[in-house]
Amino acid sequence: MRLPAPALVVLAGPPASGKSTWAARHLRDDVVVSSDRLRALVGEGEHDQRAGTDAFAVLDLVVERRMKRRLLTVVDTLGTDPARRRRWLELARAHDVPAVAVVFDVPDAECRARNKARPEPVPSAFLSQQLKAWPATRAGLADDGFDDVLVADDDVVLVPESALAADALAARQAADPLPLQFALQIPRFPWPPAETAARLQAVAAAAEEAGFSSLWVMDHLLQIPQVGREWEDMLESYTTLGFLAGVTERLQLGVLVTGVTYRNIAHLGKIVATLDVLSGGRAWCGLGAAWFAREHQVYGYDFPPLAERYALLEDALELLPLLWGPGSPAFEGRTVSIPEAICYPRPIQERIPIMVGGSGERRTLRLVAKHADACNLFGDADVVRHKVEVLHAHCADVGRDPTEIQVTHLSTALTARTRDELAAAIGDLKPKRATPEAYAAAVNAATVEDHVGRFRALAEAGVQTAIVNLPDLADAAPVERFAEVIAAYRG
């Protein structure tokens, strides 16, 4: 049985029923709030019964604040006060957080034996009173309105709330396979320079074996702050793709995405055409308006206002197909003037597909509708669905068939086969100051099955190629794990 996270989880059972031990084994101990712990905070210790009223007042405040922030909150309590339980449930409902009760049906004799073995046992009379009241408390939980009432056992596990929805989607994918291509982005190169070529080749070979359709690198001269530190190694994009062209056979190759401010546009056309020839017709051309002012400053590039960068982007979208096409026509654009669009050798592909990165609804997606072969979107399935609707509206305005445009989606995907492996990976990779929940959300940490469901939702929203970067990509192992997700879509 799965417990959602975030959630309000109320542990209910008589004294010495093993709630704390069970919570430590199945849940995160740092989110367990108990009256004992709070008595130690507001009184003279965990067993200071005179501090009980104050302890429960603090407990109510903690639940309120954590529900407001939609955080996982586990309340370790006897659960005997129906008014307090209803108050917690109202807080969970107000903040759209699932509420689950976990009950501990432990025989009276076992509770008495455990209590006797405690360093400071509960008074015998109090324990007898609670054991006598437990059946009525247990029955009352079913009437409180919890989303679920579970019996504590070793099959109960804590999972992200999104994973519960992913289960149904994964089952749907198994029953009715929906096609989806996967691509791998490599945003960092965490290897000693002398080992980089061999490590990169191994990752590319694993990606080809796993069933990825394409391989992408970023077009940055410094590592971007969203990914790592400025002084990390960052390979030049098109040189890297040239290397990858020589060590792969089937993967399409592209830059996600080429900043239009970094190269003369005609020269960029020559670079991409050369990549297409040397890769046997496997080049893509990703384009974007560029955004990272810091690297422009460091490398001495002009960083014009956004409107000018968009004008340059549209010039690139119009000029590049001319360079790759027949003849050598002149081009007079908004920012670029070319007397002869000459490019030999011609690309092997009749048209090198052009992808535009970004999902701005007013300008970027309109440029996609007018000129591009693919867009690249971000966000969850609801966001993607809306962006696709906007794109289709632009296509209608400019007289373009939207089926001519491939919808791609970029996200991070930390993948593990089991929840224990996933928790270990999160612990190893998360920044010191980040909570496990925050890091897991940032990298879409999930099991293989959960990812199958997540990508099914994106595919149903209109995504045709899911581009992923794997945050633990130090070797080929993460690629091999993700192959299990790809396998679910090969049908």
Side-chain angles (χ1 to χ4, degrees):
M1 186 65 68
R2 293 181 166 194
L3 291 176
L8 171 66
V9 182
V10 177
L11 309 183
S17 56
K19 297 187 300 299
S20 299
T21 302
W22 184 90
R25 188 168 64 246
H26 292 275
L27 308 175
R28 281 188 43 222
D29 188 60
D30 59 322
V31 300
V32 177
V33 186
S34 71
S35 54
D36 286 347
R37 288 183 179 182
L38 293 175
R39 274 195 293 268
L41 179 65
V42 301
E44 295 181 350
E46 290 186 5
H47 305 286
D48 183 358
Q49 299 299 323
R50 295 170 301 173
T53 300
D54 289 339
F56 275 104
V58 174
L59 188 151
D60 288 345
L61 179 63
V62 170
V63 173
E64 177 189 352
R65 297 302 172 88
R66 291 187 70 86
M67 289 298 94
K68 187 175 182 179
R69 297 184 61 199
R70 299 193 81 252
L71 297 175
L72 171 65
T73 304
V74 181
V75 182
D76 180 359
T77 174
L78 301 179
T80 55
D81 186 341
R84 178 169 282 113
R85 295 197 308 263
R86 285 194 293 270
R87 187 158 60 249
W88 296 337
L89 281 168
E90 288 170 2
L91 287 169
R93 297 284 181 270
H95 299 288
D96 194 27
V97 175
V100 177
V102 179
V103 298
F104 292 76
D105 289 323
V106 179
D108 290 6
E110 187 173 340
C111 287
R112 293 183 188 280
R114 289 178 180 176
N115 184 55
K116 188 177 292 186
R118 285 177 164 182
E120 294 193 44
V122 173
S124 178
F126 178 77
L127 177 59
S128 295
Q129 176 189 344
Q130 294 300 320
L131 290 173
K132 185 177 180 180
W134 172 241
T137 300
R138 174 72 167 84
L141 291 169
D143 299 327
D144 280 345
F146 283 96
D147 293 294
D148 208 346
V149 178
L150 308 177
V151 176
D153 60 35
D154 288 338
D155 292 330
V156 175
V157 294
L158 183 71
V159 298
E161 186 179 2
S162 59
L164 299 179
D167 282 352
L169 290 166
R172 193 185 309 169
Q173 178 63 21
D176 180 22
L178 187 67
L180 181 68
Q181 288 191 320
F182 288 88
L184 177 64
Q185 184 200 41
I186 304 177
R188 63 195 312 178
F189 308 93
W191 310 297
E195 299 177 16
T196 295
R199 297 288 194 97
L200 189 58
Q201 181 175 353
V203 168
E208 211 158 41
E209 177 67 22
F212 283 102
S213 62
S214 56
L215 195 58
W216 301 79
V217 296
M218 300 194 302
D219 193 31
H220 285 292
L221 311 171
L222 304 172
Q223 181 58 275
I224 60 176
Q226 299 93 318
V227 174
R229 296 174 176 174
E230 184 174 288
W231 55 86
E232 288 183 8
D233 290 348
M234 176 57 64
L235 300 182
E236 196 282 320
S237 57
Y238 281 98
T239 307
T240 303
L241 292 186
F243 169 79
L244 291 169
V247 298
T248 58
E249 296 178 357
R250 300 182 301 277
L251 288 169
Q252 296 173 312
L253 303 166
V255 172
L256 188 64
V257 286
T258 311
V260 291
T261 54
Y262 295 140
R263 300 165 188 82
N264 172 286
I265 299 301
H267 186 203
L268 174 62
K270 181 75 170 180
I271 292 169
V272 178
T274 301
L275 176 64
D276 196 61
V277 168
L278 295 180
S279 66
R282 293 185 281 138
W284 272 73
C285 181
L287 293 175
W291 60 271
F292 195 12
R294 165 72 175 159
E295 62 190 356
H296 286 77
Q297 176 188 10
V298 169
Y299 278 80
Y301 289 117
D302 289 337
F303 188 60
L306 183 59
E308 293 182 30
R309 302 201 307 275
Y310 266 104
L312 181 58
L313 174 60
E314 188 159 15
D315 281 351
L317 289 166
E318 293 175 351
L319 173 56
L320 290 173
L322 294 179
L323 284 160
W324 301 329
S328 53
F331 176 78
E332 192 68 38
R334 301 151 193 80
T335 63
V336 176
S337 179
I338 300 294
E340 296 179 83
I342 297 176
C343 182
Y344 297 103
R346 301 291 192 200
I348 290 177
Q349 298 180 83
E350 184 176 347
R351 176 183 170 90
I352 295 177
I354 296 176
M355 173 198 290
V356 173
S359 55
E361 296 181 12
R362 186 170 62 86
R363 287 184 290 192
T364 304
L365 292 180
R366 189 168 184 85
L367 287 178
V368 171
K370 290 173 66 177
H371 302 292
D373 304 284
C375 63
N376 184 245
L377 306 177
F378 309 89
D380 62 20
D382 289 338
V383 171
V384 169
R385 189 174 290 107
H386 170 70
K387 298 293 183 180
V388 170
E389 290 172 356
V390 172
L391 175 61
H392 287 185
H394 284 309
C395 287
D397 286 344
V398 301
R400 180 90 182 272
D401 181 355
T403 62
E404 296 175 357
I405 300 170
Q406 184 177 156
V407 177
T408 75
H409 177 272
L410 176 64
S411 69
T412 303
L414 179 62
T415 309
R417 293 187 175 92
T418 69
R419 299 213 170 274
D420 287 345
E421 290 178 5
L422 190 65
I426 292 169
D428 290 342
L429 296 170
K430 77 175 184 66
K432 288 183 179 179
R433 295 183 180 179
T435 65
E437 292 88 355
Y439 180 74
V443 298
N444 294 301
T447 63
V448 168
E449 182 182 10
D450 293 338
H451 275 307
V452 171
R454 182 171 79 91
F455 286 110
R456 172 79 187 210
L458 290 168
E460 291 180 349
V463 173
Q464 295 157 291
T465 296
I467 305 174
V468 299
N469 69 65
L470 308 177
D472 52 345
L473 192 61
D475 54 30
V479 177
E480 294 164 358
R481 284 195 297 273
F482 197 83
E484 298 178 39
V485 179
I486 297 175
Y489 289 87
R490 282 180 173 162

